[in-house]
Amino acid sequence: ATSVAELLELRRLDAAAGLGSRHVLDESHALRAGIDAQELVVHYQPVVDLPTGRWEGVEALVRWEHPQRGLLAPAAFLPVAEASGLIVPLGRQVLTLACTQVALWRDTPPTGGGAGGGARDLHVAVNLSGRQLGEPDVVDVITDALLVSGLPAQALTLELTETSLAGTGAQVDAALAAIRARGVRLALDDFGTGYASYAYLQRFQPDVVKIDRCFVAALGRSERDDLLTSSLIGLGLQLGCGVVAEGVETPEQARMLADLGVTTAQGYLFSPPRTAQALGARLVAP
Ligand code: C2E
Ligand code: MG
Ligand code: MG
Ligand code: MG
């Protein structure tokens, strides 16, 4: 915690969560130590072009390699990161790491002596929290990450949720406009799960909408479920957004999504998020 307001917020969270001896305050100290010890790592999940099966990009997803508790998913530590403000340095680290890794993949000659670089056009999506977006230097942080990594701005997409945009105003709108002016694309993540999707579409005008996995899971369940998912997809398409389906787990879901006009998807069907090392060989294949 870096300010009195943040300490108070942590106390409030402690009380609300009734965490007993495992206080949020303690957890934020542990997270800070983990960040300093470089235990926070980035995994990557392929973003797949449905018609060809080609991996056209990756989404960067943070993990904590905890020495005692094992590999922790974001749900286990992002709430504390948000409440303590640690999400700001953490998010910056993830952004720089992801841009650097993907720039490296793009520059790697294909394995097996093939002619065309398999990852030459690879792009990367990085999640940005509302807290990061509200920082006065957010545009500089993004510009720096592109500069130090050598990644072209066109290869970067920043993912925002309706929750992270809620309650923000002119300052965030200006930051988003500046980010976009640099050529970075913006995606609305978990599309359909917020409480005012239409309002955010109007204000934020994303380049990409990511259909939340609950709407993918609902496909085929009932006529009503199908209608809801297909209208969300249709809304995205008609607004001229790229539409990415999240959480595709079965070939049947992939087929139904393709029928609904979706050309890009992520999910366990194709690959779970993996370490850079585990994905590397396949990514740079010709
Ligand atoms: P998200 O951005 O919507 O990411 C998609 C989540 O769905 C990931 O969970 C991913 O592992 C999971 N997923 C992918 N394919 C499937 C599938 O086929 N089935 C199922 N059931 N799940 C699938 P993960 O990695 O636990 O991340 C959860 C959330 O944490 C992310 O949701 C994102 O909002 C947040 N997050 C992750 N990394 C970062 C980060 O670096 N910064 C910020 N601010 N948020 C992050
Ligand atoms: Mg995301
Ligand atoms: Mg999502
Ligand atoms: Mg999410």
Side-chain angles (χ1 to χ4, degrees), residues 47-74:
V47 178
V48 178
D49 179 55
L50 281 178
T52 61
R54 192 182 154 78
W55 291 3
E56 58 174 48
V58 290
E59 178 174 3
L61 294 157
V62 69
R63 302 284 182 266
W64 185 358
E65 286 178 348
H66 196 286
Q68 280 87 43
R69 296 164 68 194
L71 190 69
L72 300 182

PDB file of all heavy atoms in Angstrom, residues 47-74:
ATOM      1  N   VAL A  47      -4.481 -17.251 -29.883  1.00  0.00           N
ATOM      2  CA  VAL A  47      -5.723 -16.724 -30.473  1.00  0.00           C
ATOM      3  C   VAL A  47      -5.755 -17.269 -31.900  1.00  0.00           C
ATOM      4  O   VAL A  47      -4.826 -17.050 -32.673  1.00  0.00           O
ATOM      5  CB  VAL A  47      -5.707 -15.185 -30.479  1.00  0.00           C
ATOM      6  CG1 VAL A  47      -6.973 -14.633 -31.129  1.00  0.00           C
ATOM      7  CG2 VAL A  47      -5.545 -14.652 -29.057  1.00  0.00           C
ATOM      8  N   VAL A  48      -6.805 -18.014 -32.208  1.00  0.00           N
ATOM      9  CA  VAL A  48      -6.804 -18.864 -33.398  1.00  0.00           C
ATOM     10  C   VAL A  48      -7.747 -18.335 -34.476  1.00  0.00           C
ATOM     11  O   VAL A  48      -8.878 -17.932 -34.179  1.00  0.00           O
ATOM     12  CB  VAL A  48      -7.217 -20.308 -33.003  1.00  0.00           C
ATOM     13  CG1 VAL A  48      -7.268 -21.227 -34.219  1.00  0.00           C
ATOM     14  CG2 VAL A  48      -6.258 -20.856 -31.954  1.00  0.00           C
ATOM     15  N   ASP A  49      -7.272 -18.350 -35.720  1.00  0.00           N
ATOM     16  CA  ASP A  49      -8.125 -18.051 -36.870  1.00  0.00           C
ATOM     17  C   ASP A  49      -8.928 -19.314 -37.185  1.00  0.00           C
ATOM     18  O   ASP A  49      -8.351 -20.333 -37.574  1.00  0.00           O
ATOM     19  CB  ASP A  49      -7.239 -17.642 -38.054  1.00  0.00           C
ATOM     20  CG  ASP A  49      -8.054 -17.340 -39.298  1.00  0.00           C
ATOM     21  OD1 ASP A  49      -8.964 -16.499 -39.224  1.00  0.00           O
ATOM     22  OD2 ASP A  49      -7.785 -17.972 -40.345  1.00  0.00           O
ATOM     23  N   LEU A  50     -10.250 -19.257 -36.991  1.00  0.00           N
ATOM     24  CA  LEU A  50     -11.067 -20.476 -37.095  1.00  0.00           C
ATOM     25  C   LEU A  50     -11.019 -21.132 -38.480  1.00  0.00           C
ATOM     26  O   LEU A  50     -10.862 -22.355 -38.563  1.00  0.00           O
ATOM     27  CB  LEU A  50     -12.520 -20.183 -36.685  1.00  0.00           C
ATOM     28  CG  LEU A  50     -12.812 -20.099 -35.186  1.00  0.00           C
ATOM     29  CD1 LEU A  50     -14.275 -19.745 -34.946  1.00  0.00           C
ATOM     30  CD2 LEU A  50     -12.464 -21.414 -34.476  1.00  0.00           C
ATOM     31  N   PRO A  51     -11.135 -20.367 -39.570  1.00  0.00           N
ATOM     32  CA  PRO A  51     -11.145 -21.026 -40.886  1.00  0.00           C
ATOM     33  C   PRO A  51      -9.871 -21.818 -41.184  1.00  0.00           C
ATOM     34  O   PRO A  51      -9.940 -22.879 -41.804  1.00  0.00           O
ATOM     35  CB  PRO A  51     -11.305 -19.865 -41.874  1.00  0.00           C
ATOM     36  CG  PRO A  51     -11.884 -18.752 -41.079  1.00  0.00           C
ATOM     37  CD  PRO A  51     -11.395 -18.926 -39.682  1.00  0.00           C
ATOM     38  N   THR A  52      -8.714 -21.304 -40.735  1.00  0.00           N
ATOM     39  CA  THR A  52      -7.446 -21.957 -41.102  1.00  0.00           C
ATOM     40  C   THR A  52      -6.793 -22.703 -39.937  1.00  0.00           C
ATOM     41  O   THR A  52      -5.903 -23.515 -40.151  1.00  0.00           O
ATOM     42  CB  THR A  52      -6.421 -20.908 -41.588  1.00  0.00           C
ATOM     43  OG1 THR A  52      -6.186 -19.990 -40.519  1.00  0.00           O
ATOM     44  CG2 THR A  52      -6.936 -20.147 -42.805  1.00  0.00           C
ATOM     45  N   GLY A  53      -7.209 -22.418 -38.715  1.00  0.00           N
ATOM     46  CA  GLY A  53      -6.564 -23.017 -37.553  1.00  0.00           C
ATOM     47  C   GLY A  53      -5.243 -22.347 -37.201  1.00  0.00           C
ATOM     48  O   GLY A  53      -4.552 -22.760 -36.276  1.00  0.00           O
ATOM     49  N   ARG A  54      -4.892 -21.308 -37.937  1.00  0.00           N
ATOM     50  CA  ARG A  54      -3.624 -20.626 -37.718  1.00  0.00           C
ATOM     51  C   ARG A  54      -3.635 -19.816 -36.410  1.00  0.00           C
ATOM     52  O   ARG A  54      -4.637 -19.189 -36.075  1.00  0.00           O
ATOM     53  CB  ARG A  54      -3.365 -19.692 -38.906  1.00  0.00           C
ATOM     54  CG  ARG A  54      -1.975 -19.129 -38.954  1.00  0.00           C
ATOM     55  CD  ARG A  54      -1.830 -18.172 -40.148  1.00  0.00           C
ATOM     56  NE  ARG A  54      -0.781 -17.215 -39.867  1.00  0.00           N
ATOM     57  CZ  ARG A  54       0.520 -17.507 -39.961  1.00  0.00           C
ATOM     58  NH1 ARG A  54       0.903 -18.688 -40.373  1.00  0.00           N
ATOM     59  NH2 ARG A  54       1.430 -16.590 -39.648  1.00  0.00           N
ATOM     60  N   TRP A  55      -2.502 -19.858 -35.690  1.00  0.00           N
ATOM     61  CA  TRP A  55      -2.376 -19.053 -34.465  1.00  0.00           C
ATOM     62  C   TRP A  55      -1.961 -17.645 -34.875  1.00  0.00           C
ATOM     63  O   TRP A  55      -0.815 -17.434 -35.267  1.00  0.00           O
ATOM     64  CB  TRP A  55      -1.334 -19.666 -33.531  1.00  0.00           C
ATOM     65  CG  TRP A  55      -1.760 -20.973 -32.924  1.00  0.00           C
ATOM     66  CD1 TRP A  55      -2.921 -21.655 -33.161  1.00  0.00           C
ATOM     67  CD2 TRP A  55      -1.035 -21.746 -31.972  1.00  0.00           C
ATOM     68  NE1 TRP A  55      -2.961 -22.813 -32.418  1.00  0.00           N
ATOM     69  CE2 TRP A  55      -1.823 -22.893 -31.684  1.00  0.00           C
ATOM     70  CE3 TRP A  55       0.192 -21.592 -31.331  1.00  0.00           C
ATOM     71  CZ2 TRP A  55      -1.411 -23.870 -30.784  1.00  0.00           C
ATOM     72  CZ3 TRP A  55       0.599 -22.570 -30.428  1.00  0.00           C
ATOM     73  CH2 TRP A  55      -0.192 -23.682 -30.154  1.00  0.00           C
ATOM     74  N   GLU A  56      -2.903 -16.717 -34.782  1.00  0.00           N
ATOM     75  CA  GLU A  56      -2.571 -15.369 -35.249  1.00  0.00           C
ATOM     76  C   GLU A  56      -2.099 -14.443 -34.138  1.00  0.00           C
ATOM     77  O   GLU A  56      -1.539 -13.383 -34.396  1.00  0.00           O
ATOM     78  CB  GLU A  56      -3.749 -14.749 -35.993  1.00  0.00           C
ATOM     79  CG  GLU A  56      -5.032 -14.662 -35.179  1.00  0.00           C
ATOM     80  CD  GLU A  56      -6.104 -13.901 -35.948  1.00  0.00           C
ATOM     81  OE1 GLU A  56      -6.311 -14.215 -37.133  1.00  0.00           O
ATOM     82  OE2 GLU A  56      -6.711 -12.991 -35.360  1.00  0.00           O
ATOM     83  N   GLY A  57      -2.335 -14.841 -32.905  1.00  0.00           N
ATOM     84  CA  GLY A  57      -1.894 -14.009 -31.793  1.00  0.00           C
ATOM     85  C   GLY A  57      -1.869 -14.803 -30.500  1.00  0.00           C
ATOM     86  O   GLY A  57      -2.132 -16.009 -30.495  1.00  0.00           O
ATOM     87  N   VAL A  58      -1.541 -14.113 -29.426  1.00  0.00           N
ATOM     88  CA  VAL A  58      -1.587 -14.722 -28.098  1.00  0.00           C
ATOM     89  C   VAL A  58      -2.153 -13.697 -27.114  1.00  0.00           C
ATOM     90  O   VAL A  58      -2.013 -12.490 -27.311  1.00  0.00           O
ATOM     91  CB  VAL A  58      -0.182 -15.150 -27.605  1.00  0.00           C
ATOM     92  CG1 VAL A  58       0.342 -16.345 -28.402  1.00  0.00           C
ATOM     93  CG2 VAL A  58       0.808 -13.997 -27.645  1.00  0.00           C
ATOM     94  N   GLU A  59      -2.801 -14.197 -26.066  1.00  0.00           N
ATOM     95  CA  GLU A  59      -3.179 -13.325 -24.956  1.00  0.00           C
ATOM     96  C   GLU A  59      -2.230 -13.601 -23.794  1.00  0.00           C
ATOM     97  O   GLU A  59      -1.979 -14.754 -23.442  1.00  0.00           O
ATOM     98  CB  GLU A  59      -4.628 -13.571 -24.507  1.00  0.00           C
ATOM     99  CG  GLU A  59      -4.998 -12.686 -23.297  1.00  0.00           C
ATOM    100  CD  GLU A  59      -6.457 -12.757 -22.869  1.00  0.00           C
ATOM    101  OE1 GLU A  59      -7.222 -13.538 -23.464  1.00  0.00           O
ATOM    102  OE2 GLU A  59      -6.807 -12.010 -21.933  1.00  0.00           O
ATOM    103  N   ALA A  60      -1.706 -12.534 -23.222  1.00  0.00           N
ATOM    104  CA  ALA A  60      -0.823 -12.646 -22.063  1.00  0.00           C
ATOM    105  C   ALA A  60      -1.664 -12.749 -20.800  1.00  0.00           C
ATOM    106  O   ALA A  60      -2.553 -11.917 -20.578  1.00  0.00           O
ATOM    107  CB  ALA A  60       0.087 -11.416 -21.988  1.00  0.00           C
ATOM    108  N   LEU A  61      -1.408 -13.760 -19.983  1.00  0.00           N
ATOM    109  CA  LEU A  61      -2.163 -13.968 -18.744  1.00  0.00           C
ATOM    110  C   LEU A  61      -1.181 -14.201 -17.599  1.00  0.00           C
ATOM    111  O   LEU A  61      -0.344 -15.096 -17.656  1.00  0.00           O
ATOM    112  CB  LEU A  61      -3.116 -15.162 -18.907  1.00  0.00           C
ATOM    113  CG  LEU A  61      -4.227 -14.929 -19.947  1.00  0.00           C
ATOM    114  CD1 LEU A  61      -4.778 -16.241 -20.484  1.00  0.00           C
ATOM    115  CD2 LEU A  61      -5.340 -14.056 -19.353  1.00  0.00           C
ATOM    116  N   VAL A  62      -1.312 -13.372 -16.565  1.00  0.00           N
ATOM    117  CA  VAL A  62      -0.332 -13.410 -15.477  1.00  0.00           C
ATOM    118  C   VAL A  62      -0.579 -14.597 -14.547  1.00  0.00           C
ATOM    119  O   VAL A  62      -1.721 -15.035 -14.353  1.00  0.00           O
ATOM    120  CB  VAL A  62      -0.343 -12.067 -14.701  1.00  0.00           C
ATOM    121  CG1 VAL A  62      -1.632 -11.873 -13.917  1.00  0.00           C
ATOM    122  CG2 VAL A  62       0.872 -11.945 -13.784  1.00  0.00           C
ATOM    123  N   ARG A  63       0.500 -15.144 -14.004  1.00  0.00           N
ATOM    124  CA  ARG A  63       0.466 -16.238 -13.032  1.00  0.00           C
ATOM    125  C   ARG A  63       1.467 -15.925 -11.931  1.00  0.00           C
ATOM    126  O   ARG A  63       2.423 -15.198 -12.157  1.00  0.00           O
ATOM    127  CB  ARG A  63       0.898 -17.572 -13.685  1.00  0.00           C
ATOM    128  CG  ARG A  63       0.054 -18.006 -14.884  1.00  0.00           C
ATOM    129  CD  ARG A  63      -1.277 -18.555 -14.403  1.00  0.00           C
ATOM    130  NE  ARG A  63      -2.135 -19.044 -15.470  1.00  0.00           N
ATOM    131  CZ  ARG A  63      -3.076 -18.297 -16.063  1.00  0.00           C
ATOM    132  NH1 ARG A  63      -3.234 -17.030 -15.743  1.00  0.00           N
ATOM    133  NH2 ARG A  63      -3.854 -18.826 -16.982  1.00  0.00           N
ATOM    134  N   TRP A  64       1.231 -16.508 -10.741  1.00  0.00           N
ATOM    135  CA  TRP A  64       2.189 -16.362  -9.658  1.00  0.00           C
ATOM    136  C   TRP A  64       2.753 -17.739  -9.339  1.00  0.00           C
ATOM    137  O   TRP A  64       2.015 -18.615  -8.891  1.00  0.00           O
ATOM    138  CB  TRP A  64       1.504 -15.747  -8.439  1.00  0.00           C
ATOM    139  CG  TRP A  64       2.418 -15.437  -7.278  1.00  0.00           C
ATOM    140  CD1 TRP A  64       3.767 -15.687  -7.179  1.00  0.00           C
ATOM    141  CD2 TRP A  64       2.039 -14.828  -6.041  1.00  0.00           C
ATOM    142  NE1 TRP A  64       4.255 -15.263  -5.974  1.00  0.00           N
ATOM    143  CE2 TRP A  64       3.227 -14.734  -5.245  1.00  0.00           C
ATOM    144  CE3 TRP A  64       0.835 -14.354  -5.528  1.00  0.00           C
ATOM    145  CZ2 TRP A  64       3.207 -14.189  -3.966  1.00  0.00           C
ATOM    146  CZ3 TRP A  64       0.816 -13.805  -4.247  1.00  0.00           C
ATOM    147  CH2 TRP A  64       1.998 -13.720  -3.481  1.00  0.00           C
ATOM    148  N   GLU A  65       4.033 -17.887  -9.583  1.00  0.00           N
ATOM    149  CA  GLU A  65       4.703 -19.143  -9.217  1.00  0.00           C
ATOM    150  C   GLU A  65       5.069 -19.048  -7.751  1.00  0.00           C
ATOM    151  O   GLU A  65       6.187 -18.667  -7.395  1.00  0.00           O
ATOM    152  CB  GLU A  65       5.960 -19.354 -10.082  1.00  0.00           C
ATOM    153  CG  GLU A  65       5.645 -19.771 -11.499  1.00  0.00           C
ATOM    154  CD  GLU A  65       6.888 -19.941 -12.362  1.00  0.00           C
ATOM    155  OE1 GLU A  65       7.991 -19.528 -11.934  1.00  0.00           O
ATOM    156  OE2 GLU A  65       6.747 -20.461 -13.480  1.00  0.00           O
ATOM    157  N   HIS A  66       4.103 -19.405  -6.905  1.00  0.00           N
ATOM    158  CA  HIS A  66       4.275 -19.251  -5.461  1.00  0.00           C
ATOM    159  C   HIS A  66       5.092 -20.411  -4.914  1.00  0.00           C
ATOM    160  O   HIS A  66       4.778 -21.572  -5.182  1.00  0.00           O
ATOM    161  CB  HIS A  66       2.897 -19.201  -4.788  1.00  0.00           C
ATOM    162  CG  HIS A  66       2.925 -18.668  -3.394  1.00  0.00           C
ATOM    163  ND1 HIS A  66       3.404 -19.410  -2.334  1.00  0.00           N
ATOM    164  CD2 HIS A  66       2.554 -17.474  -2.878  1.00  0.00           C
ATOM    165  CE1 HIS A  66       3.311 -18.694  -1.227  1.00  0.00           C
ATOM    166  NE2 HIS A  66       2.804 -17.513  -1.535  1.00  0.00           N
ATOM    167  N   PRO A  67       6.162 -20.100  -4.152  1.00  0.00           N
ATOM    168  CA  PRO A  67       7.053 -21.177  -3.697  1.00  0.00           C
ATOM    169  C   PRO A  67       6.338 -22.211  -2.819  1.00  0.00           C
ATOM    170  O   PRO A  67       6.721 -23.371  -2.825  1.00  0.00           O
ATOM    171  CB  PRO A  67       8.151 -20.445  -2.921  1.00  0.00           C
ATOM    172  CG  PRO A  67       7.674 -19.043  -2.739  1.00  0.00           C
ATOM    173  CD  PRO A  67       6.640 -18.772  -3.781  1.00  0.00           C
ATOM    174  N   GLN A  68       5.316 -21.795  -2.060  1.00  0.00           N
ATOM    175  CA  GLN A  68       4.607 -22.758  -1.209  1.00  0.00           C
ATOM    176  C   GLN A  68       3.285 -23.221  -1.807  1.00  0.00           C
ATOM    177  O   GLN A  68       2.930 -24.386  -1.751  1.00  0.00           O
ATOM    178  CB  GLN A  68       4.318 -22.162   0.183  1.00  0.00           C
ATOM    179  CG  GLN A  68       5.502 -22.205   1.122  1.00  0.00           C
ATOM    180  CD  GLN A  68       6.379 -20.971   0.953  1.00  0.00           C
ATOM    181  OE1 GLN A  68       5.874 -19.854   0.839  1.00  0.00           O
ATOM    182  NE2 GLN A  68       7.681 -21.163   0.900  1.00  0.00           N
ATOM    183  N   ARG A  69       2.556 -22.263  -2.417  1.00  0.00           N
ATOM    184  CA  ARG A  69       1.177 -22.589  -2.832  1.00  0.00           C
ATOM    185  C   ARG A  69       1.085 -23.074  -4.273  1.00  0.00           C
ATOM    186  O   ARG A  69       0.016 -23.388  -4.753  1.00  0.00           O
ATOM    187  CB  ARG A  69       0.282 -21.362  -2.613  1.00  0.00           C
ATOM    188  CG  ARG A  69       0.179 -20.971  -1.124  1.00  0.00           C
ATOM    189  CD  ARG A  69      -0.364 -19.554  -0.936  1.00  0.00           C
ATOM    190  NE  ARG A  69      -1.757 -19.435  -1.318  1.00  0.00           N
ATOM    191  CZ  ARG A  69      -2.384 -18.273  -1.513  1.00  0.00           C
ATOM    192  NH1 ARG A  69      -1.731 -17.133  -1.361  1.00  0.00           N
ATOM    193  NH2 ARG A  69      -3.643 -18.248  -1.862  1.00  0.00           N
ATOM    194  N   GLY A  70       2.201 -23.108  -4.993  1.00  0.00           N
ATOM    195  CA  GLY A  70       2.177 -23.585  -6.377  1.00  0.00           C
ATOM    196  C   GLY A  70       1.787 -22.495  -7.358  1.00  0.00           C
ATOM    197  O   GLY A  70       1.824 -21.308  -7.020  1.00  0.00           O
ATOM    198  N   LEU A  71       1.382 -22.887  -8.541  1.00  0.00           N
ATOM    199  CA  LEU A  71       1.041 -21.915  -9.587  1.00  0.00           C
ATOM    200  C   LEU A  71      -0.332 -21.314  -9.306  1.00  0.00           C
ATOM    201  O   LEU A  71      -1.337 -22.023  -9.287  1.00  0.00           O
ATOM    202  CB  LEU A  71       1.055 -22.601 -10.959  1.00  0.00           C
ATOM    203  CG  LEU A  71       0.941 -21.662 -12.156  1.00  0.00           C
ATOM    204  CD1 LEU A  71       2.202 -20.816 -12.305  1.00  0.00           C
ATOM    205  CD2 LEU A  71       0.678 -22.446 -13.431  1.00  0.00           C
ATOM    206  N   LEU A  72      -0.367 -20.003  -9.091  1.00  0.00           N
ATOM    207  CA  LEU A  72      -1.632 -19.344  -8.741  1.00  0.00           C
ATOM    208  C   LEU A  72      -2.215 -18.605  -9.940  1.00  0.00           C
ATOM    209  O   LEU A  72      -1.499 -17.887 -10.655  1.00  0.00           O
ATOM    210  CB  LEU A  72      -1.422 -18.354  -7.596  1.00  0.00           C
ATOM    211  CG  LEU A  72      -0.893 -18.922  -6.276  1.00  0.00           C
ATOM    212  CD1 LEU A  72      -0.784 -17.810  -5.232  1.00  0.00           C
ATOM    213  CD2 LEU A  72      -1.799 -20.052  -5.764  1.00  0.00           C
ATOM    214  N   ALA A  73      -3.524 -18.769 -10.146  1.00  0.00           N
ATOM    215  CA  ALA A  73      -4.246 -18.051 -11.202  1.00  0.00           C
ATOM    216  C   ALA A  73      -4.537 -16.626 -10.722  1.00  0.00           C
ATOM    217  O   ALA A  73      -4.519 -16.351  -9.515  1.00  0.00           O
ATOM    218  CB  ALA A  73      -5.533 -18.789 -11.535  1.00  0.00           C
ATOM    219  N   PRO A  74      -4.824 -15.733 -11.655  1.00  0.00           N
ATOM    220  CA  PRO A  74      -5.057 -14.327 -11.290  1.00  0.00           C
ATOM    221  C   PRO A  74      -6.133 -14.133 -10.220  1.00  0.00           C
ATOM    222  O   PRO A  74      -6.007 -13.234  -9.389  1.00  0.00           O
ATOM    223  CB  PRO A  74      -5.488 -13.691 -12.609  1.00  0.00           C
ATOM    224  CG  PRO A  74      -4.950 -14.567 -13.679  1.00  0.00           C
ATOM    225  CD  PRO A  74      -4.842 -15.941 -13.113  1.00  0.00           C
TER     226      PRO A  74
END
